[in-house]
Amino acid sequence: MSDGSPIPETRVLAVASHVVSGYVGNKIAVFSLQSLGCDVAALNTVQFSNHTGYKQWTGSKVSAQEITDLYQGLKQSYLDDFDMMLSGYVPGAPALEAVGQIGQELKRKAKSKPGSFFWVLDPVMGDNGSLYVAPDVVPVYKSLVPYANLVLPNQFEAELLSEVQITDMPSIARAIQVMHERYGIPHIVITSVSLPHPDHPVSSLSVVGSTMTSDRKARAFKIVFPAIDCYFSGTGDMFAALMAVRMREAVYNRGKDSQQQQQQGSALMERESWLSEDSVDALDLPLARAAEKVLASMHEVLTKTAERMEGAMRKAGEAGMNADGVGSGTGAEEKKMHLLKSKAAELRLVRHLDSLRFPQVEFRATRLYMG
Amino acid sequence: MSDGSPIPETRVLAVASHVVSGYVGNKIAVFSLQSLGCDVAALNTVQFSNHTGYKQWTGSKVSAQEITDLYQGLKQSYLDDFDMMLSGYVPGAPALEAVGQIGQELKRKAKSKPGSFFWVLDPVMGDNGSLYVAPDVVPVYKSLVPYANLVLPNQFEAELLSEVQITDMPSIARAIQVMHERYGIPHIVITSVSLPHPDHPVSSLSVVGSTMTSDRKARAFKIVFPAIDCYFSGTGDMFAALMAVRMREAVYNRGKDSQQQQQQGSALMERESWLSEDSVDALDLPLARAAEKVLASMHEVLTKTAERMEGAMRKAGEAGMNADGVGSGTGAEEKKMHLLKSKAAELRLVRHLDSLRFPQVEFRATRLYMG
């Protein structure tokens, strides 16, 4: 694009939580999308002072009715002309159902123009073996996945959706196949897979992605990248936002050989769900190209965050030694250190715009054998 | 800065309205601040589907109590370490008082370290001779201006604050002098001044700025720039956000001649309110340098928005000719055209990141004689 954006004009509806301070949910997704040139409508499902990893926060949730009202407000003023939707954390089953209604309606509206609407659904339910939403949220997500175009579960969420226990690469391949078949979901990326595997060193993670064929067979790839020994919040939200843009970019640039296509984007953009023809190999999928770029951005931002965090925590530790009352008593000290650490671990996005916009791809997709 | 940001690490509390779609209030301020490298805590005072210029919207306001609670949430987790605060539209006097309490508390906290906190206050009250807030909001703003460091009224708001009727350049100079004296407000920029003046062609506007001396005498300048014949919403919010960053940049880079200063920023950063010494001429003020850059960014974004708007409205007009029911009846047609025009006039910020980051300064500050 002549204006430096990697994608054509793109209007995205982003539905997720808002935090005043820090970078999770829409707070990180909106900036990620905007910095790559998207016109973002940001529908915030909560306004909290900070993310819940701090273990204390203030603020309030937006009701299901209010979510519906905000969408009706957009509709009545011709502001519902979205090319994409990105949905993240939604508090509770009724609110999630309201968001699901929006996604389904936008999908219905786009039916006569294949490829003109694409829904990226992040099924935020839990992590590391435990739910952090109410149990009645799980069936709602299961009912929504068939309407989405790209779903981004983490390993635990993939288990919930597929009902396959993931213990190794073959079982992850099975989980992907089950999700394609059961939900008809065209594109899947499982984020943060941590599994023993020959080409998987101890300190590495991978993402596993697949775009199904016309008969719902998986075309799977994995990308292995070095793990950073630190827990960051908001990585899933950042990943989802960047995937939305980079997927559109990869599809837009697909097979641009003629001059006409240079101007109009690829024919793939006009296929339902941007679904590559069956002849396209797993390693040649737009989804793989997109995931490579996203991981490159993520790795750069996380590395820079971790580097700076060390310094911040050293300073906090020193300050703690001669704390003025706040640091007295072990419990209070521990609490303060947890809060300072949470703050220092906030993703350092805004000072690293170039990592979002012009990442250096280092980690490439490789084949995932379907077991 | 090595990371491409024009300013050192800067943590800003931005308090203003949020719209799902479009670009006013925090929706435009947060991106403007972030794209120039600020870590922004965004406290949203409303969540509306769209701005009120559409004449219809949905959504709700945040109460005074909730604003206070969100700030308490930041405080309890050591997240209130702000270098700057930017406050814009706040719905109603009680909510504005709550925001005022936050500004005053942050100012008190910073008292022992001059220059370590800077409050940019946009006294959003009305425009073109009429109030668009409740009348009881006006005295609240008057009570808050003495705590702010930079205030950004438009011409009408400057009249309200100074109680000077502005009819020409000498009366605007008087209004500025009155505000410095009465409120002790160090920096003032009056935005969008439209007055007859010899060097002021019919189709031009100006901003008028001043930084007071130690005895509260105005040092005033004006910058004349071509008007764009179109009404845009959000320009005041964008102006305020960019002024916050560019003022910090101009102060930071002030008189950087020694290597030590190159690394640490200028001595001016450690002066209360970043108040330039009395010997500094109006045309050499950091405020003047900042305003020049901000106007350059604004002019680029507005020009690009206006260019594209023409095409969008032509398309809408053609579509209106064969509208499917919606366009029938003159009232309904007029309403639809107003809505489409409002959408087309949304500022095109995200596709023009370079206009925010690297504007080409064309319009320079000139002296404003104090009559």
Side-chain angles (χ1 to χ4, degrees), chain A residues 32-347:
Chain A
S32 300
L33 292 164
Q34 287 177 329
S35 68
L36 291 167
C38 294
D39 175 22
V40 184
L43 201 165
N44 296 334
T45 56
V46 313
Q47 176 166 223
F48 286 169
S49 56
N50 48 270
H51 71 70
T52 59
Y54 285 80
K55 297 183 192 162
Q56 58 179 16
W57 65 91
T58 59
S60 60
K61 299 174 181 180
V62 170
S63 70
Q65 186 59 52
E66 199 158 351
I67 290 170
T68 303
D69 287 349
L70 284 168
Y71 180 68
Q72 292 303 324
L74 298 178
K75 262 177 75 173
Q76 73 177 357
S77 294
Y78 308 98
L79 297 170
D80 59 338
D81 55 338
F82 297 110
D83 303 297
M84 304 188 81
M85 172 164 159
L86 171 65
S87 59
Y89 173 70
V90 181
L96 180 58
E97 273 164 8
V99 173
Q101 287 298 325
I102 296 171
Q104 289 172 59
E105 182 169 331
L106 288 171
K107 189 143 190 195
R108 232 177 2 253
K109 205 164 61 103
K111 209 163 183 179
S112 63
K113 280 184 75 183
S116 67
F117 176 69
F118 193 96
W119 181 4
V120 178
L121 174 66
D122 187 4
V124 182
M125 296 185 281
D127 205 356
N128 299 315
S130 60
L131 275 183
Y132 42 57
V133 295
D136 62 347
V137 165
V138 179
V140 183
Y141 271 119
K142 287 185 175 177
S143 74
L144 293 181
V145 174
Y147 297 96
N149 302 96
L150 164 60
V151 72
L152 300 159
N154 59 30
Q155 190 173 326
F156 174 65
E157 290 156 349
E159 289 186 325
L160 289 171
L161 292 177
S162 65
E163 288 162 12
V164 170
Q165 211 193 336
I166 298 176
T167 53
D168 50 17
M169 282 291 167
S171 59
I172 214 161
R174 272 202 307 284
I176 283 178
Q177 185 55 52
V178 167
M179 285 188 278
H180 281 317
E181 274 170 26
R182 185 175 301 169
Y183 302 106
I185 176 82
H187 308 278
I188 301 167
V189 177
I190 306 182
T191 58
S192 304
V193 174
S194 175
L195 289 176
H197 190 269
D199 62 347
H200 217 288
V202 182
S203 62
S204 71
L205 292 170
S206 50
V207 302
V208 177
S210 169
T211 293
M212 70 180 190
T213 60
S214 57
D215 58 350
R216 298 193 177 186
K217 288 281 168 286
R219 278 177 283 193
F221 61 86
K222 68 174 185 298
I223 309 175
V224 181
F225 58 96
I228 293 173
D229 183 25
C230 178
Y231 183 78
F232 299 107
S233 297
T235 51
D237 308 311
M238 182 177 164
F239 189 93
L242 294 177
M243 271 307 291
V245 182
R246 295 302 184 184
M247 181 66 182
R248 187 161 163 94
E249 175 191 33
V251 169
Y252 181 76
N253 290 326
R254 194 62 174 184
K256 272 200 184 170
D257 31 25
S258 76
Q259 205 181 0
Q260 194 195 2
Q261 280 178 326
Q262 286 286 350
Q263 281 165 13
Q264 297 183 351
S266 71
L268 184 54
M269 284 203 94
E270 291 172 14
R271 283 172 65 99
E272 178 57 36
S273 290
W274 304 341
L275 206 52
S276 293
E277 300 197 20
D278 290 351
S279 58
V280 176
D281 183 75
L283 300 189
D284 293 329
L285 292 169
L287 191 72
R289 286 301 82 70
E292 286 169 345
K293 277 206 182 174
V294 172
L295 279 177
S297 287
M298 300 284 307
H299 191 69
E300 289 181 27
V301 169
L302 265 55
T303 302
K304 285 164 184 166
T305 303
E307 278 167 11
R308 194 146 181 292
M309 195 179 164
E310 247 178 81
M313 289 319 295
R314 208 171 32 241
K315 250 171 73 182
E318 285 159 16
M321 301 293 269
N322 41 29
D324 47 317
V326 193
S328 61
T330 317
E333 246 169 53
E334 260 175 33
K335 181 181 166 186
K336 185 177 180 181
M337 285 308 284
H338 170 74
L339 294 169
L340 294 177
K341 197 169 175 180
S342 300
K343 177 166 188 265
E346 294 282 6
L347 296 180

Side-chain angles (χ1 to χ4, degrees), chain A residues 7 9 11 18 20-21 23 27 39-40 42 44 47 56 58 60 66 69 78 81 326 343 348 351, chain B residues 3 7 9 18 20-21 23 27 39-40 42 44 47 58 60 66 69 78 81 326 343 348 351:
Chain A
I7 51 169
E9 296 278 339
R11 198 162 145 76
H18 172 74
V20 175
S21 182
Y23 298 93
K27 187 75 178 296
D39 175 22
V40 184
N44 296 334
Q47 176 166 223
Q56 58 179 16
T58 59
S60 60
E66 199 158 351
D69 287 349
Y78 308 98
D81 55 338
V326 193
K343 177 166 188 265
R348 288 181 55 75
R351 305 290 296 190
Chain B
D3 56 19
I7 50 168
E9 295 278 340
H18 172 75
V20 175
S21 183
Y23 299 92
K27 187 76 177 298
D39 175 23
V40 184
N44 296 334
Q47 176 166 222
T58 59
S60 61
E66 199 157 350
D69 287 348
Y78 308 98
D81 54 336
V326 194
K343 178 166 187 266
R348 289 182 53 76
R351 305 290 294 189

Side-chain angles (χ1 to χ4, degrees), chain B residues 125-126 131 138 142 155-163 183:
Chain B
M125 295 185 282
L131 274 185
V138 179
K142 287 185 175 178
Q155 190 173 326
F156 174 64
E157 290 156 348
E159 288 186 325
L160 288 171
L161 292 177
S162 65
E163 291 162 11
Y183 302 105

Side-chain angles (χ1 to χ4, degrees), chain B residues 128-172:
Chain B
N128 299 316
S130 60
L131 274 185
Y132 41 58
V133 294
D136 63 347
V137 164
V138 179
V140 182
Y141 271 119
K142 287 185 175 178
S143 74
L144 293 181
V145 174
Y147 297 95
N149 302 96
L150 164 60
V151 71
L152 300 158
N154 59 29
Q155 190 173 326
F156 174 64
E157 290 156 348
E159 288 186 325
L160 288 171
L161 292 177
S162 65
E163 291 162 11
V164 171
Q165 209 193 337
I166 297 176
T167 53
D168 50 17
M169 282 293 167
S171 58
I172 214 161

Side-chain angles (χ1 to χ4, degrees), chain B residues 115-134:
Chain B
S116 66
F117 175 71
F118 193 96
W119 179 5
V120 178
L121 174 67
D122 187 4
V124 183
M125 295 185 282
D127 206 356
N128 299 316
S130 60
L131 274 185
Y132 41 58
V133 294

